[in-house]
Amino acid sequence: MAKPASFMGLPLNVRVKIYKLAGLTRRCPIDLGTERLRKRINAGTYAHAYAYGHPYTYGQASALGNCTFETRSMSPSCNFETFTCYCPILPSQLLQVSRQVHSEATQVLYGQNMLRYSYTTLCGFSDLQNLSEDAWSSMTSLSIKMQHVKIHDWHYLCTHMSKRISPSQLMLNLVYHIDSLYTAEIIGESFRQLSSLRGCSIRFNTDPEAFEDPLEALGLIAKNWALKLSDRLPSLGETGSPDMLNALPVELKRMTLMNTDLISNQQPDQSGLGAIFVRNGKFQFSRTCCKTCIDSLMECNCPFRKTGWSYGGRIAGTGYSTSCTCDRIPLALFSIGRNFNGVANDLLYSFNRFIFYGNPTSNWTFLRSRPASTFRQFRAIDFVIDAKAALSFPNRSTRGHDWAGCIGFIGKSLELSQLWLSLDMRVDGDPESYYNVVAKTKNTLIREKYPRIVEACTELRGLKRFHIFLSFEHGQEAVLEQMVMGPTYNSEMDGKLKPADRDPKNPHKTRRLLMR
């Protein structure tokens, strides 16, 4: 007679899936200090909601089980919008079934969730220090926020962590509120006990009226320790003098610069190219949080975030995150030396796609102002021309003349056989803008304006790729592309997505770039 099936007789990967389906994993972070309180308060509410099949709602929140954590936006201060977790309470009963189930469930609970903890002078780090060794060794993401931390408490926690965390596995996010630069330096010294981390983000906040030292000094401490703890490249000052860097072989220079922000972190596709935005002739960098600087979104750790509001008053601060995807071109690299400058330019213009917004005059000026040695290094250029701008392209307008001049400069100066040119002429704005602005001028755009814009590109014979994106009449895209590339050109065979596969809100996230 066959033995009856048992839970422990199932393969480990099946048991892990069961643990996850039972509710041991959550999309939003688990607060180790307040989860037990939340369980006690909300248990009756959740039980009632499940029993009667009604979703538990709060204001405009999603239905029960659909957490709003991922959709939060960042406020003008350093903090994200306050949210209440609507996820079901954790099934802690699983940890009491048996020793083996406890060990397996612990690895899922602490290894596949984002964890957060807020330090208080009353409780210190007691909840963290009471975690088991299995919990610490399984942990992959931990965020800690400290308001006026006691130095000896923090030093003891670092000692405790150093003996228990697994090397190169934990993403550690730290937010401190300090009163002096000396405090930041003392806090940093405790990091020496920690083993290497998978990633690290550190932010120091302070009272701007009482803090007398420059914020740049705080930022340098945060950056150096975040890089050291995650085994990343050290800062320029630690690698040696500029003369030492200039003496490196070209291949080593190239490999070194490949790990810097010369290649944009914004890579919305699988091409390996970064995306650099240029608006009206100037580099444009986002001033909103990238939401990757700290996975728990406890607080923005992007380096550009200098001020904000917290605890009822204004704060100042700065930080650094190894996972931040905000673009910051390291201009200092171009001043190290002539040879280093050449390698840096090659990477900047060969491994990024330049996306131009605004009037053609400023974009033409931007291209002409680049060093002459970089002209033939451009690999991908996008021009974003919305419907309103397209309507201002009559035959003899200044805008039309400068557009022709810009395209003529590209034809004469850039290496067309290696260049991918795209014209994104989709409607810029909401659906209401589409119907109010474009519906009345649709025929004018299709029959007159768009062909006139593309006509200037007919002198660019020999382009590697040429793609056009429209909001309507998608069949006209191929007609306009063939005006430049010839009657046999098929852009969909060249990596362009079909209209049905595109994201109407953000075309750059869906465009498939295939670089050969």
Side-chain angles (χ1 to χ4, degrees):
M1 182 177 178
K3 294 182 179 180
S6 65
F7 178 74
M8 300 310 299
L10 297 173
L12 177 60
N13 62 329
V14 176
R15 296 201 300 272
V16 169
K17 289 182 180 180
I18 293 176
Y19 296 141
K20 296 171 68 174
L21 291 173
L24 275 182
T25 57
R26 186 186 292 172
R27 287 184 296 173
C28 64
I30 298 173
D31 196 314
L32 297 174
T34 61
E35 181 63 28
R36 287 176 293 182
L37 178 63
R38 174 180 172 271
K39 174 182 177 181
R40 188 164 58 249
I41 293 175
N42 295 337
T45 304
Y46 286 123
H48 181 275
Y50 276 117
Y52 292 94
H54 298 301
Y56 171 65
T57 60
Y58 183 87
Q60 299 298 320
S62 302
L64 180 64
N66 295 328
C67 186
T68 59
F69 168 76
E70 295 176 345
T71 61
R72 290 185 303 158
S73 60
M74 185 171 167
S75 65
S77 68
C78 290
N79 296 323
F80 284 87
E81 295 173 355
T82 303
F83 84 107
T84 302
C85 179
Y86 298 95
C87 294
I89 56 178
L90 296 171
S92 57
Q93 300 88 340
L94 284 174
L95 302 175
Q96 303 172 3
V97 174
S98 67
R99 289 185 179 181
Q100 185 172 352
V101 172
H102 179 278
S103 177
E104 295 172 355
T106 297
Q107 293 178 23
V108 174
L109 176 61
Y110 293 94
Q112 301 189 32
N113 283 300
M114 297 176 291
L115 308 174
R116 59 184 293 175
Y117 186 81
S118 296
Y119 171 89
T120 61
T121 54
L122 179 62
C123 300
F125 295 108
S126 58
D127 290 319
L128 284 178
Q129 293 166 355
N130 292 333
L131 294 178
S132 65
E133 292 192 8
D134 285 344
W136 278 109
S137 62
S138 303
M139 203 175 291
T140 57
S141 172
L142 176 63
S143 301
I144 306 176
K145 189 169 185 176
M146 291 157 277
Q147 177 79 354
H148 301 298
V149 62
K150 294 181 180 178
I151 300 299
H152 66 271
D153 284 350
W154 171 243
H155 183 80
Y156 182 77
L157 178 65
C158 288
T159 304
H160 187 82
M161 291 171 58
S162 64
K163 300 175 181 179
R164 291 164 175 81
I165 61 175
S166 300
S168 304
Q169 177 176 291
L170 178 63
M171 176 67 189
L172 184 61
N173 308 298
L174 304 169
V175 179
Y176 303 90
H177 193 96
I178 61 173
D179 52 11
S180 67
L181 184 63
Y182 175 75
T183 304
E185 294 173 345
I186 295 299
I187 288 174
E189 289 300 315
S190 298
F191 289 138
R192 296 187 185 277
Q193 307 172 65
L194 298 179
S195 58
S196 61
L197 304 172
R198 176 170 57 89
C200 183
S201 68
I202 302 173
R203 181 175 181 83
F204 294 110
N205 290 330
T206 187
D207 182 356
E209 296 181 358
F211 191 77
E212 300 178 353
D213 299 298
L215 287 179
E216 289 74 12
L218 279 181
L220 185 60
I221 293 175
K223 180 177 181 179
N224 286 339
W225 279 113
L227 292 174
K228 285 180 179 179
L229 290 173
S230 54
D231 288 338
R232 306 295 175 90
L233 286 175
S235 63
L236 180 61
E238 297 174 357
T239 58
S241 65
D243 292 335
M244 293 175 61
L245 293 173
N246 276 321
L248 292 174
V250 174
E251 288 304 318
L252 283 181
K253 292 178 185 176
R254 190 178 184 86
M255 291 175 62
T256 301
L257 293 177
M258 288 282 285
N259 290 280
T260 68
D261 291 335
L262 280 176
I263 301 177
S264 171
N265 290 315
Q266 297 191 40
Q267 297 184 358
D269 35 58
Q270 302 300 318
S271 67
L273 287 179
I276 292 182
F277 298 89
V278 181
R279 183 177 291 274
N280 293 327
K282 297 180 180 179
F283 288 113
Q284 182 185 30
F285 302 116
S286 173
R287 304 302 295 177
T288 59
C289 181
C290 60
K291 291 189 177 182
T292 62
C293 57
I294 174 170
D295 48 11
S296 67
L297 300 189
M298 176 181 284
E299 188 165 317
C300 174
N301 276 20
C302 296
F304 73 83
R305 184 69 55 182
K306 302 295 184 184
T307 60
W309 296 84
S310 182
Y311 302 101
R314 183 173 178 269
I315 62 172
T318 186
Y320 186 83
S321 173
T322 57
S323 59
C324 177
T325 55
C326 294
D327 285 316
R328 295 293 179 271
I329 298 177
L331 299 178
L333 291 174
F334 294 90
S335 60
I336 294 178
R338 181 177 299 177
N339 294 333
F340 216 80
N341 184 293
V343 178
N345 275 321
D346 180 44
L347 293 180
L348 177 64
Y349 295 99
S350 299
F351 285 83
N352 291 298
R353 185 177 74 247
F354 287 80
I355 303 175
F356 289 90
Y357 292 82
N359 63 76
T361 306
S362 57
N363 294 333
W364 185 12
T365 303
F366 176 88
L367 288 172
R368 288 186 299 180
S369 64
R370 301 303 96 192
S373 59
T374 66
F375 290 160
R376 297 188 177 275
Q377 295 171 352
F378 280 92
R379 294 295 178 268
I381 292 178
D382 287 17
F383 288 105
V384 180
I385 307 172
D386 62 26
K388 293 181 181 179
L391 290 172
S392 62
F393 270 86
N395 286 328
R396 296 182 179 180
S397 71
T398 302
R399 183 182 292 269
H401 176 269
D402 289 343
W403 170 249
C406 182
I407 295 299
F409 177 81
I410 291 175
K412 295 178 181 178
S413 304
L414 275 59
E415 187 65 43
L416 298 182
S417 62
Q418 299 181 6
L419 182 64
W420 182 347
L421 182 64
S422 297
L423 303 183
D424 190 345
M425 297 185 285
R426 291 191 262 197
V427 176
D428 183 16
D430 55 18
E432 184 178 354
S433 173
Y434 172 86
Y435 291 110
N436 292 343
V437 178
V438 179
K440 300 177 182 179
T441 60
K442 178 178 176 181
N443 290 333
T444 302
L445 289 169
I446 288 294
R447 297 177 182 177
E448 181 180 349
K449 302 300 182 181
Y450 287 163
R452 189 168 298 159
I453 293 173
V454 176
E455 185 179 1
C457 301
T458 54
E459 61 183 86
L460 301 180
R461 298 295 181 182
L463 280 173
K464 184 176 183 179
R465 291 182 181 87
F466 182 64
H467 293 172
I468 290 179
F469 298 88
L470 305 178
S471 293
F472 42 80
E473 299 288 346
H474 298 295
Q476 291 296 315
E477 293 179 353
V479 175
L480 296 174
E481 290 165 350
Q482 290 173 1
M483 288 176 57
V484 177
M485 303 297 287
T488 61
Y489 181 69
N490 186 342
S491 57
E492 291 183 2
M493 297 292 293
D494 221 3
K496 181 182 174 182
L497 287 178
K498 297 179 180 179
D501 297 330
R502 302 174 193 164
D503 182 354
K505 294 183 180 180
N506 194 336
H508 302 295
K509 286 188 177 180
T510 57
R511 200 171 302 173
R512 185 176 63 229
L513 303 179
L514 305 176
M515 302 302 291
R516 299 186 181 94

